[in-house]
Amino acid sequence: YLFFIERIQPAGSQLNQYMYKLQPTLNALQASPYLSEAFKDYLTERELEFRQYREVMAEHIGLWQHFLGRCNLSPQAG
C-alpha cells in the first residue's frame, strides 16, 4: 500500500491534472466542424478510457481504505 501511496498515487494525480487542463481543448476539438468523425471518435475513446481509469482508481483506494480500516490501520507514507 505504501508503494501505491508513494509511487502510483502521485503519478495518477499528475495524470489527472494534465487531463483536466486538456479538457477545454479536447471539448473544442470535439465541437469542431473541421475534424473528421474518425478523429472525434478517437477522442471520445480516450475520454472513456480516462473515466474508466478514474473509476478503477477510486475503487482501488476505497478497497484499501476499507481493508486498513478493518485492521485499525491508517496509510502513512514512509
Side-chain angles (χ1 to χ4, degrees):
Y1 188 75
L2 291 178
F3 178 78
F4 180 78
I5 291 172
E6 294 173 354
R7 305 288 180 158
I8 296 173
Q9 229 170 0
S13 176
Q14 189 70 44
L15 177 62
N16 288 344
Q17 288 178 24
Y18 289 142
M19 285 302 294
Y20 295 137
K21 287 180 183 177
L22 283 171
Q23 200 59 53
T25 301
L26 296 173
N27 291 342
L29 289 172
Q30 284 281 16
S32 173
Y34 304 108
L35 296 177
S36 70
E37 288 304 313
F39 185 69
K40 290 179 182 184
D41 290 345
Y42 173 81
L43 294 176
T44 298
E45 287 296 318
R46 301 301 69 81
E47 184 177 348
L48 291 173
E49 288 174 349
F50 181 64
R51 281 189 204 158
Q52 290 173 328
Y53 151 78
R54 284 193 339 235
E55 290 170 6
V56 168
M57 283 293 274
E59 183 180 326
H60 183 83
I61 291 167
L63 288 171
W64 273 109
Q65 289 173 339
H66 177 74
F67 173 76
L68 293 172
R70 288 183 59 114
C71 298
N72 293 319
L73 298 172
S74 68
Q76 297 176 358

